[in-house]
């Protein structure tokens, strides 16, 4: 038998194998970023431009043109958030059944058509139902985007990607303000008012974009053509190693995991934090144009003056979420964002009788705080909640409860004499969110320590739970 020569064959030790694997994973993640993030960013940008356009429509005179009373104008805002709250979870269950790749385009077609319809309403009886239907159509959209990200990325990669996608929502506020300024110049063009042109131009692109989305997005990596076989296997393996596999992984909806959502105390804390944080975001999104107008700007310039706070918030969001992702820390970053927003409202209350410039700067500080905090909260939840049904239902619950802040917006009337009361209400909501954030972090830390000290019998009892999701004793919560 011929002697086999092996001395010239290179031997790769385990350390080098790990280095090559890490390089391959980084290249794969960058490829996913280039392929997925720009398009998801565009979708989120389009969604939020439509979601917050009612505030600019008010400045353009929709209340006068449709002869809306103060109460009807307030309900035009609140009905959207009420529908969002009620239909958030049904939409997520539908998304879980259809998959994000089919649910997202259907949602886009629906709210694109409804927005177009809003351009031709003649009275409150037509506007209010359409606002309610718009809330239904968009209720599961943003959570579905977050779930779609989780189908492609490891948990450690979620924070920065969610921050990037949510920054589209922030920059959409600035873009919407600039667009509204242009539409305000189109009154009586083609027998339509500026707010009608705004609804048309924001709704029409959603129809072709929804069709393209249905053709572009795929639910699972195995079906795409832009990954080679080796990349598909690598992505499947790293996602499998990153997730606890439940006892029922192939089911569309697990009612056992839905029950887990409502018996998990941590999820209620996430929801309470969201209620204060998201409530302030809704307040600023709908009221900032009126607040800026009270500072002495003309109706047309208000649209431009509301853009800079969102530009600063956009930068703050990216910086805070980059830091949270790099350090794998969420609680302290969330506390920082909420505290920064709290400082903004304290300055607003303190400087209420001072110059308009000081009030404008305090509004910028508030926007930076609340908008940078919310994606940290969402990424914290996606990292700590597991299960193919529990995770999407949890996100829908957290974001849905946050819509309560939008429902109670009529309590914060936009009339200037009541603006001080509004600031105190927002201050209290932020303080409550800050308190619950501290409680949540301490609770997660205590639970991690408890799981580290389980006896063999206790460990076996907890592993025997059917579909344990993130309750599995081997799981350690991210702080």
């Amino acid at each position: 038998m011929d002697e086999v020569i092996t001395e010239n064959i290179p031997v790769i030790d385990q350390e080098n194998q790990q280095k090559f694997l890490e390089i391959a994973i980084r290249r794969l993640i960058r490829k996913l970023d280039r392929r997925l993030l720009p398009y998801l960013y565009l979708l989120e940008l389009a969604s939020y431009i439509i979601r917050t356009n009612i505030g600019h429509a008010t400045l353009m005179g929709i209340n006068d043109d449709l002869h809306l009373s103060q109460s009807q104008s307030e309900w035009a805002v609140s009905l959207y958030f009420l529908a969002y709250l009620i239909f958030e979870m049904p939409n997520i269950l539908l998304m879980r059944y259809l998959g994000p790749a089919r649910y997202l385009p259907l949602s886009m077609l629906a709210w694109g058509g409804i927005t177009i319809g809003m351009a031709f309403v003649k009275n409150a009886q037509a506007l209010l139902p359409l606002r309610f239907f718009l809330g239904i159509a968009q209720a599961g959209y943003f959570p579905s985007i977050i779930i779609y990200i989780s189908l492609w990325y490891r948990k450690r990669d979620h924070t920065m990607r969610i921050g990037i996608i949510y920054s589209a929502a922030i920059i959409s506020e600035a873009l919407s303000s600039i667009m509204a300024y242009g539409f305000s110049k189109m009154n009586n063009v083609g027998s339509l008012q500026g707010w009608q042109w705004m609804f048309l131009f924001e709704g029409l692109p959603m129809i072709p974009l929804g069709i393209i989305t249905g053709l572009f997005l795929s639910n699972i990596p195995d079906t795409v053509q832009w990954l080679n076989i080796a990349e598909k296997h690598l992505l499947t393996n790293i996602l499998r190693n990153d997730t606890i596999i439940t006892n029922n992984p192939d089911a569309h909806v697990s009612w056992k995991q839905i029950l887990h959502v409502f018996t998990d105390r941590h999820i209620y804390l996430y929801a309470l934090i969201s209620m204060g944080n998201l409530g302030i975001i809704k307040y600023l999104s709908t009221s900032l144009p009126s607040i800026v107008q009270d500072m002495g700007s003309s109706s047309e310039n208000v649209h431009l003056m509301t853009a800079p706070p969102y530009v600063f918030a956009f930068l703050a969001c990216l910086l805070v979420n980059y830091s949270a992702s790099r350090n794998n820390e969420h609680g302290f970053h969330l506390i920082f964002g909420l505290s920064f927003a709290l400082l903004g409202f304290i300055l607003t209350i303190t400087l209420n009788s001072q110059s308009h410039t000081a009030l404008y700067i305090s509004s910028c500080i508030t926007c930076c705080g609340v908008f940078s905090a919310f994606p940290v909260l969402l990424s914290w939840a996606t990292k700590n909640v597991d299960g193919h049904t529990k995770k999407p239902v949890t996100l829908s619950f957290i974001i849905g409860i946050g819509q309560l802040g939008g429902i109670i917006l009529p309590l914060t009337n936009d009339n200037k004499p009541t603006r001080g009361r509004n600031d105190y209400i927002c201050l209290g909501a932020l303080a409550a969110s800050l308190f619950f954030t501290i409680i949540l972090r301490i609770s997660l830390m205590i639970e991690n320590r408890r799981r580290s000290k389980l006896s063999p019998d206790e460990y076996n009892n907890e592993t025997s739970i059917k579909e344990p999701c993130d309750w599995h004793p081997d799981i350690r919560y991210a702080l």
Side-chain angles (χ1 to χ4, degrees), residues 162-471:
I162 292 175
I164 291 173
I165 296 301
Y166 191 74
S167 71
I170 302 172
I171 207 64
S172 73
E173 302 277 7
L175 183 60
S176 179
S177 300
I178 296 171
M179 291 170 60
Y181 176 79
F183 290 127
S184 67
K185 304 291 187 180
M186 297 179 65
N187 283 329
N188 299 318
V189 175
S191 302
L192 296 177
Q193 298 301 308
W195 59 268
Q196 293 177 295
W197 283 114
M198 180 176 67
F199 288 147
L200 275 176
F201 274 94
E202 292 177 356
L204 282 171
M206 293 302 102
I207 306 303
L209 195 58
I211 296 172
I212 294 172
T213 300
L215 300 174
F216 176 85
L217 293 185
S218 299
N219 275 330
I220 55 177
D222 291 341
T223 62
V224 299
Q225 302 298 320
W226 44 273
L227 290 178
N228 59 43
I229 295 177
E231 290 170 334
K232 290 178 182 179
H233 285 315
L234 177 59
L235 182 57
T236 300
N237 288 334
I238 64 174
L239 291 176
R240 182 185 295 116
N241 294 335
D242 193 55
T243 306
I244 293 293
I245 304 299
T246 65
N247 296 334
N248 194 20
D250 298 323
H252 282 298
V253 174
S254 169
W255 297 105
K256 181 76 171 178
Q257 293 188 25
I258 293 177
L259 180 62
H260 287 343
V261 172
F262 297 102
T263 54
D264 190 335
R265 66 183 185 279
H266 295 140
I267 291 175
Y268 288 100
L269 289 171
Y270 285 119
L272 289 171
I273 298 167
S274 173
M275 190 186 304
N277 190 352
L278 198 53
I280 305 305
I281 290 176
K282 303 302 180 187
Y283 170 73
L284 291 173
S285 298
T286 57
S287 302
L288 190 58
S290 299
I291 294 173
V292 174
Q293 188 177 38
D294 288 342
M295 294 179 185
S297 299
S298 65
S299 296
E300 292 181 350
N301 289 334
V302 162
H303 299 300
L304 294 178
M305 291 298 295
T306 54
Y310 294 118
V311 174
F312 291 126
F314 167 79
L315 297 174
C317 175
L318 293 180
L319 288 173
V320 170
N321 282 270
Y322 174 77
S323 175
S325 177
R326 187 174 181 84
N327 296 288
N328 193 30
E329 201 290 323
H330 302 80
F332 289 140
H333 286 80
L334 183 55
I335 290 171
F336 172 79
L338 295 174
S339 300
F340 206 66
L342 203 65
L343 173 63
F345 275 111
I346 292 174
L347 291 175
T348 299
I349 294 171
T350 306
L351 304 175
N352 191 37
S353 59
Q354 305 298 319
S355 68
H356 295 319
T357 302
L359 290 175
Y360 189 74
I361 293 174
S362 64
S363 297
C364 292
I365 293 174
T366 301
C367 286
C368 289
V370 292
F371 281 103
S372 63
F374 189 61
V376 175
L377 174 64
L378 292 181
S379 62
W380 199 8
T382 59
K383 278 190 175 182
N384 285 339
V385 178
D386 217 330
H388 64 278
T389 297
K390 184 180 181 183
K391 180 179 289 186
V393 172
T394 295
L395 283 175
S396 71
F397 182 69
I398 291 171
I399 298 175
I401 290 297
Q403 305 308 314
L404 287 173
I407 296 173
I408 63 173
L409 279 178
L411 294 177
T412 56
N413 196 301
D414 281 339
N415 292 331
K416 190 172 182 180
T418 64
R419 192 62 47 71
R421 183 195 66 180
N422 302 349
D423 294 334
Y424 282 108
I425 292 175
C426 294
L427 191 70
L430 282 173
S433 292
L434 186 59
F435 171 76
F436 289 125
T437 301
I438 297 171
I439 296 299
L440 175 60
R441 195 181 192 283
I442 293 173
S443 179
L444 294 174
M445 186 168 55
I446 292 174
E447 178 62 20
N448 285 345
R449 291 175 180 172
R450 186 194 69 83
R451 292 180 184 182
S452 299
K453 298 178 181 179
L454 290 176
S455 66
D457 290 340
E458 291 172 332
Y459 178 88
N460 292 332
N461 287 336
E462 295 195 13
T463 54
S464 65
I465 298 175
K466 185 178 180 180
E467 300 185 59
C469 303
D470 52 279
W471 289 351

